[in-house]
Amino acid sequence: MAYQDVAKNIIKESIKTAVYIDENALEAYEKMPETPSAEQALSVELTKKLRESNIDLTVFKYEAQKYKDQKNYVFANKDLVLLDWELDGEGGGGLSALNVLHELIEMRSVHFCTIYTNTEELCEIVKEICSYFCGVDQTMAAKFMEELTLCGDYDHDIFKSALWEYAFTKDSGRKRGIADRLRGRHPQAFDVVKSNFLISAAVINGKYIPESNPYKYSDYDLDNQIVVVENMLIFVRNKKVTKAENLINEIYSRLSITDMGFWPLLGLEVRNKIRTSDAFIDREIFGVPSKALAYQRDRKGNDFSSYLTEVIVKHLSMHIESTHLKLPNELIWNP
């Protein structure tokens, strides 16, 4: 079986539930109007097509207070989130969507998110996501700007555009040229920004920064419009171009052709194996009498919970050791 086929099967097994979040969505209890909006029609089409793929979809019409009150319920046991970038309306800048992403990552239970947008500038949204998840919060950003201000007069506009360009080019020669140009214009200001060009680019360009608990993206792919933050794979897609019936296919096809896909997919394959296999705790342990457990509880005291966790982790480790994983073999023989 080819690597792409294994990747497809892993993703299909990983995504069983989903939620679509849009300020113009049509929820399940609402009647379809005679002239539905594009988002309302998409709500119905997504529900139908994902059901055909055995994926249960919840449609959530976004309102700020409603979302705040119901977000834990909305995201509970969801594998995929379909998130509208323009939650604040056209020209809103994506702040609400970024805040939702931040909360999703904090929950650590959702592994896939597809950003839907009306704009054709998909790479710019990837950059916005990367700058938001550049690893700093607003307090850290304020300190950085204060330090930069102490450098005195520097060409702010040149630094803004040059740093943004530097942060999102992977051409080492081009990076050196930009760095040399900035160093020549203002050595002192360059000494401040050179420690982290992406953070500097995000802060100087006035990009959205989280209030607290910052996360750092681990990888991105502008060609395929993918960002990896913590354990979440984020895909950026155009609403008008991406058809509902192709949604899952686009996820695995794009992920399988980028070099960032292997480790997230391997982790999901392990999770799928555990989720669908027999109980990983040896049956013999179920025969341990309650008196023996009570004895260990009295002996271990506050460490009893940690003791049981160690037992479970050991059994899980033994279970994983005997698990046959398909993805590594296909990576070797079918790169």
Side-chain angles (χ1 to χ4, degrees):
M1 185 179 289
Y3 178 84
Q4 287 80 3
D5 295 326
V6 175
K8 177 180 179 180
N9 288 336
I10 291 172
I11 292 171
K12 287 181 68 176
E13 290 177 12
S14 300
I15 302 177
K16 301 298 182 185
T17 59
V19 57
Y20 172 46
I21 304 175
D22 194 307
E23 83 281 11
N24 295 316
L26 186 74
E27 294 185 316
Y29 61 85
E30 293 182 305
K31 183 179 178 180
M32 174 73 87
E34 292 184 6
T35 54
S37 67
E39 289 79 8
Q40 290 172 329
L42 182 61
S43 303
V44 175
E45 188 70 7
L46 282 170
T47 301
K48 176 183 176 183
K49 294 301 181 182
L50 291 182
R51 186 182 294 124
E52 291 174 0
S53 300
N54 297 315
I55 297 172
D56 182 33
L57 178 70
T58 299
V59 177
F60 183 78
K61 187 174 182 178
Y62 178 85
E63 296 171 9
Q65 188 59 48
K66 177 183 173 184
Y67 167 77
K68 184 178 180 180
D69 295 339
Q70 300 181 22
K71 61 184 178 183
N72 290 334
Y73 164 76
V74 169
F75 294 137
N77 301 315
K78 296 298 188 296
D79 302 312
L80 167 67
V81 173
L82 308 173
L83 179 63
D84 177 44
W85 180 252
E86 292 88 9
L87 288 178
D88 300 312
E90 295 297 328
L95 177 58
S96 291
L98 288 169
N99 288 337
V100 171
L101 277 177
H102 189 271
E103 290 174 335
L104 280 172
I105 290 164
E106 285 187 322
M107 294 176 69
R108 303 191 65 81
S109 58
V110 179
H111 299 282
F112 298 96
C113 178
T114 292
I115 299 290
Y116 270 142
T117 178
N118 286 318
T119 181
E120 296 180 359
E121 301 297 328
L122 303 184
C123 289
E124 294 307 311
I125 293 180
V126 170
K127 294 175 183 179
E128 291 285 345
I129 295 171
C130 288
S131 65
Y132 184 85
F133 294 109
C134 66
V136 298
D137 58 24
Q138 292 180 8
T139 300
M140 299 161 68
K143 290 181 179 178
F144 171 83
M145 283 304 296
E146 182 179 340
E147 185 178 355
L148 191 60
T149 302
L150 294 176
C151 294
D153 187 31
Y154 66 97
D155 196 324
H156 187 266
D157 290 337
I158 294 250
F159 266 70
K160 279 178 63 176
S161 59
L163 286 172
W164 196 247
E165 181 183 0
Y166 183 101
F168 293 104
T169 180
K170 295 187 177 182
D171 185 311
S172 57
R174 193 173 171 188
K175 282 181 177 290
R176 283 195 300 271
I178 296 170
D180 290 343
R181 190 165 78 247
L182 292 178
R183 186 186 294 109
R185 285 186 171 274
H186 202 301
Q188 191 177 357
F190 178 80
D191 286 342
V192 174
V193 304
K194 70 179 181 181
S195 60
N196 192 308
F197 283 94
L198 176 59
I199 292 175
S200 304
V203 175
I204 289 179
N205 279 274
K207 298 299 180 180
Y208 294 128
I209 301 291
E211 291 184 10
S212 59
N213 299 329
Y215 292 96
K216 175 73 170 67
Y217 76 89
S218 56
D219 206 350
Y220 71 92
D221 185 332
L222 287 179
D223 293 332
N224 290 291
Q225 297 91 48
I226 305 173
V227 186
V228 182
V229 186
E230 296 292 310
N231 64 331
M232 182 184 288
L233 294 155
I234 304 168
F235 306 82
V236 181
R237 296 292 173 265
N238 185 282
K239 284 183 183 178
K240 300 173 184 177
V241 174
T242 303
K243 303 297 182 182
E245 60 266 28
N246 297 329
L247 178 64
I248 303 302
N249 287 346
E250 279 211 2
I251 289 177
Y252 75 71
S253 64
R254 288 179 181 264
L255 189 58
S256 64
I257 62 175
T258 177
D259 58 7
M260 72 171 64
F262 177 74
W263 287 109
L265 285 174
L266 184 64
L268 287 169
E269 184 179 12
V270 173
R271 191 192 72 161
N272 292 344
K273 293 286 186 182
I274 295 171
R275 187 165 66 177
T276 59
S277 65
D278 295 333
F280 61 82
I281 298 179
D282 195 291
R283 294 177 181 176
E284 294 182 3
I285 202 172
F286 297 130
V288 176
S290 57
K291 288 184 178 180
L293 287 174
Y295 170 76
Q296 289 292 343
R297 182 196 60 202
D298 294 339
R299 193 167 73 90
K300 298 287 185 180
N302 293 333
D303 294 330
F304 181 62
S305 179
S306 298
Y307 167 73
L308 288 182
T309 300
E310 289 178 10
V311 172
I312 293 173
V313 169
K314 180 63 176 176
H315 280 265
L316 178 58
S317 176
M318 293 169 60
H319 178 78
I320 292 176
E321 286 176 2
S322 62
T323 297
H324 173 68
L325 300 174
K326 296 181 179 179
L327 194 68
N329 291 334
E330 298 307 327
L331 179 69
I332 294 171
W333 300 115
N334 297 292

Coordinates of all heavy atoms in Angstrom, one line a residue, residues 8-42:
K8 N -4.3 8.4 3.8 CA -5.7 8.6 3.6 C -6.5 7.8 4.6 O -7.4 8.3 5.3 CB -6.1 8.2 2.2 CG -7.6 8.3 1.9 CD -7.9 7.9 0.5 CE -9.4 8.0 0.2 NZ -9.8 7.6 -1.2
N9 N -6.1 6.6 4.8 CA -6.8 5.7 5.8 C -6.7 6.2 7.2 O -7.6 6.1 8.0 CB -6.3 4.3 5.7 CG -6.8 3.6 4.4 OD1 -7.8 4.0 3.8 ND2 -6.0 2.6 3.9
I10 N -5.5 6.7 7.6 CA -5.3 7.2 8.9 C -6.2 8.4 9.2 O -6.8 8.5 10.2 CB -3.8 7.6 9.1 CG1 -2.9 6.4 9.1 CG2 -3.6 8.4 10.4 CD1 -1.4 6.7 9.1
I11 N -6.3 9.3 8.2 CA -7.1 10.5 8.4 C -8.6 10.2 8.4 O -9.3 10.7 9.2 CB -6.8 11.5 7.3 CG1 -5.3 12.1 7.4 CG2 -7.8 12.7 7.3 CD1 -4.8 12.9 6.3
K12 N -9.0 9.2 7.5 CA -10.4 8.8 7.5 C -10.8 8.2 8.9 O -11.9 8.4 9.4 CB -10.6 7.8 6.4 CG -10.7 8.5 5.0 CD -10.9 7.5 3.9 CE -12.3 7.0 4.0 NZ -12.6 6.1 2.8
E13 N -9.9 7.4 9.5 CA -10.1 6.8 10.7 C -10.1 7.8 11.9 O -10.7 7.6 12.9 CB -9.1 5.7 11.0 CG -9.3 4.4 10.1 CD -8.2 3.4 10.4 OE1 -7.5 3.5 11.4 OE2 -8.1 2.5 9.5
S14 N -9.4 8.9 11.7 CA -9.2 9.9 12.7 C -10.4 10.9 12.8 O -10.6 11.5 13.9 CB -7.9 10.7 12.5 OG -6.8 9.8 12.5
I15 N -11.1 11.1 11.7 CA -12.1 12.1 11.7 C -13.5 11.4 11.6 O -13.9 10.9 10.6 CB -12.0 13.0 10.5 CG1 -10.6 13.7 10.5 CG2 -13.1 14.1 10.4 CD1 -10.3 14.6 9.3
K16 N -14.2 11.4 12.8 CA -15.5 10.9 12.9 C -16.6 11.9 13.2 O -17.7 11.7 13.0 CB -15.5 9.8 14.0 CG -14.6 8.6 13.7 CD -14.9 7.9 12.4 CE -14.0 6.7 12.1 NZ -14.3 6.1 10.8
T17 N -16.1 13.0 13.8 CA -17.1 14.1 14.2 C -16.5 15.4 13.8 O -15.2 15.6 13.7 CB -17.3 14.1 15.7 OG1 -16.1 14.3 16.4 CG2 -18.0 12.8 16.2
A18 N -17.3 16.4 13.5 CA -16.8 17.7 13.0 C -17.8 18.8 13.4 O -19.0 18.5 13.8 CB -16.7 17.7 11.5
V19 N -17.4 20.1 13.4 CA -18.2 21.2 13.7 C -17.9 22.3 12.7 O -16.7 22.6 12.4 CB -18.1 21.7 15.1 CG1 -16.7 22.1 15.5 CG2 -19.1 22.9 15.4
Y20 N -18.9 22.9 12.1 CA -18.7 24.0 11.2 C -19.2 25.3 11.9 O -20.3 25.4 12.4 CB -19.6 23.8 9.9 CG -19.6 25.0 9.0 CD1 -18.5 25.7 8.6 CD2 -20.9 25.3 8.4 CE1 -18.6 26.8 7.7 CE2 -20.9 26.4 7.5 CZ -19.8 27.1 7.2 OH -19.9 28.2 6.3
I21 N -18.3 26.3 12.0 CA -18.6 27.5 12.7 C -18.5 28.7 11.8 O -17.5 29.0 11.1 CB -17.5 27.7 13.9 CG1 -17.5 26.5 14.8 CG2 -17.8 29.0 14.6 CD1 -16.4 26.6 15.9
D22 N -19.6 29.4 11.7 CA -19.7 30.6 10.7 C -20.8 31.5 11.2 O -21.9 31.0 11.7 CB -20.1 30.1 9.3 CG -19.9 31.1 8.3 OD1 -20.4 32.2 8.4 OD2 -19.2 30.8 7.3
E23 N -20.6 32.8 11.2 CA -21.6 33.7 11.7 C -22.9 33.7 10.8 O -23.9 34.2 11.2 CB -21.0 35.1 11.8 CG -21.0 36.0 10.5 CD -19.8 35.6 9.6 OE1 -19.2 34.6 9.8 OE2 -19.6 36.3 8.6
N24 N -22.8 33.2 9.6 CA -23.9 33.1 8.7 C -24.4 31.7 8.4 O -25.2 31.4 7.5 CB -23.6 33.8 7.3 CG -23.3 35.2 7.5 OD1 -24.1 35.9 8.2 ND2 -22.3 35.7 6.9
A25 N -24.0 30.7 9.3 CA -24.3 29.3 9.1 C -25.8 29.1 9.3 O -26.5 29.9 10.0 CB -23.5 28.4 10.0
L26 N -26.3 28.0 8.8 CA -27.7 27.5 9.0 C -27.7 26.3 9.9 O -27.2 25.3 9.5 CB -28.3 27.2 7.7 CG -29.8 26.8 7.7 CD1 -30.7 28.1 7.9 CD2 -30.3 26.1 6.5
E27 N -28.1 26.5 11.2 CA -28.1 25.4 12.1 C -29.2 24.4 11.8 O -30.2 24.7 11.1 CB -28.3 26.0 13.5 CG -27.1 26.8 13.9 CD -27.1 27.3 15.4 OE1 -28.2 27.7 15.8 OE2 -26.1 27.2 16.1
A28 N -29.1 23.3 12.4 CA -29.9 22.1 12.1 C -31.4 22.4 12.2 O -32.3 21.9 11.5 CB -29.5 20.9 12.9
Y29 N -31.8 23.2 13.2 CA -33.2 23.5 13.5 C -33.8 24.6 12.7 O -35.0 24.8 12.7 CB -33.4 23.8 15.0 CG -32.6 25.0 15.5 CD1 -33.2 26.3 15.3 CD2 -31.4 24.9 16.0 CE1 -32.5 27.4 15.7 CE2 -30.7 26.1 16.4 CZ -31.3 27.3 16.3 OH -30.6 28.5 16.6
E30 N -32.9 25.3 11.9 CA -33.4 26.4 11.1 C -33.9 26.0 9.8 O -33.3 25.0 9.2 CB -32.3 27.5 11.0 CG -31.9 28.1 12.3 CD -30.8 29.2 12.1 OE1 -29.7 28.8 11.5 OE2 -31.0 30.3 12.5
K31 N -34.9 26.6 9.3 CA -35.4 26.3 7.9 C -34.6 27.0 6.9 O -34.3 28.2 7.0 CB -36.9 26.8 7.9 CG -37.6 26.4 6.6 CD -39.1 26.9 6.6 CE -39.7 26.6 5.2 NZ -41.1 27.0 5.2
M32 N -34.4 26.3 5.8 CA -33.6 26.9 4.7 C -34.5 28.0 4.0 O -35.6 27.8 3.6 CB -33.3 25.8 3.7 CG -32.6 26.4 2.4 SD -30.9 26.9 2.6 CE -30.1 25.3 2.4
P33 N -34.0 29.3 3.9 CA -34.7 30.3 3.2 C -34.8 30.1 1.7 O -34.1 29.3 1.2 CB -33.9 31.6 3.6 CG -32.5 31.1 3.8 CD -32.7 29.7 4.5
E34 N -35.7 30.8 1.1 CA -35.9 30.6 -0.3 C -34.7 31.0 -1.1 O -34.3 30.4 -2.1 CB -37.1 31.5 -0.8 CG -38.4 31.0 -0.3 CD -39.6 31.8 -0.9 OE1 -39.3 32.6 -1.7 OE2 -40.7 31.5 -0.4
T35 N -34.0 32.0 -0.7 CA -32.7 32.5 -1.3 C -31.6 32.4 -0.3 O -31.3 33.4 0.3 CB -32.8 33.9 -1.9 OG1 -33.3 34.8 -0.9 CG2 -33.8 33.9 -3.0
P36 N -31.1 31.2 -0.1 CA -30.0 31.1 1.0 C -28.7 31.8 0.6 O -28.4 31.9 -0.6 CB -29.9 29.6 1.1 CG -30.2 29.1 -0.3 CD -31.3 30.0 -0.8
S37 N -28.0 32.2 1.7 CA -26.7 32.7 1.5 C -25.7 31.6 1.1 O -26.1 30.4 1.3 CB -26.2 33.5 2.7 OG -26.0 32.5 3.8
A38 N -24.5 31.9 0.7 CA -23.5 30.9 0.3 C -23.2 30.1 1.6 O -23.0 28.8 1.5 CB -22.3 31.6 -0.2
E39 N -23.1 30.7 2.7 CA -22.8 30.0 4.0 C -23.9 29.1 4.4 O -23.7 28.0 4.9 CB -22.5 31.0 5.1 CG -21.1 31.7 4.9 CD -21.2 32.9 4.0 OE1 -22.3 33.2 3.5 OE2 -20.2 33.4 3.6
Q40 N -25.2 29.5 4.2 CA -26.3 28.6 4.6 C -26.3 27.4 3.7 O -26.6 26.3 4.1 CB -27.6 29.4 4.5 CG -27.8 30.5 5.5 CD -29.0 31.4 5.3 OE1 -29.3 31.7 4.2 NE2 -29.6 31.9 6.4
A41 N -26.1 27.6 2.4 CA -26.1 26.5 1.4 C -24.9 25.6 1.8 O -25.1 24.3 1.7 CB -26.0 27.0 0.0
L42 N -23.8 26.1 2.1 CA -22.6 25.3 2.5 C -22.9 24.5 3.7 O -22.5 23.3 3.8 CB -21.4 26.2 2.7 CG -20.1 25.5 3.1 CD1 -19.7 24.6 2.0 CD2 -19.0 26.6 3.4

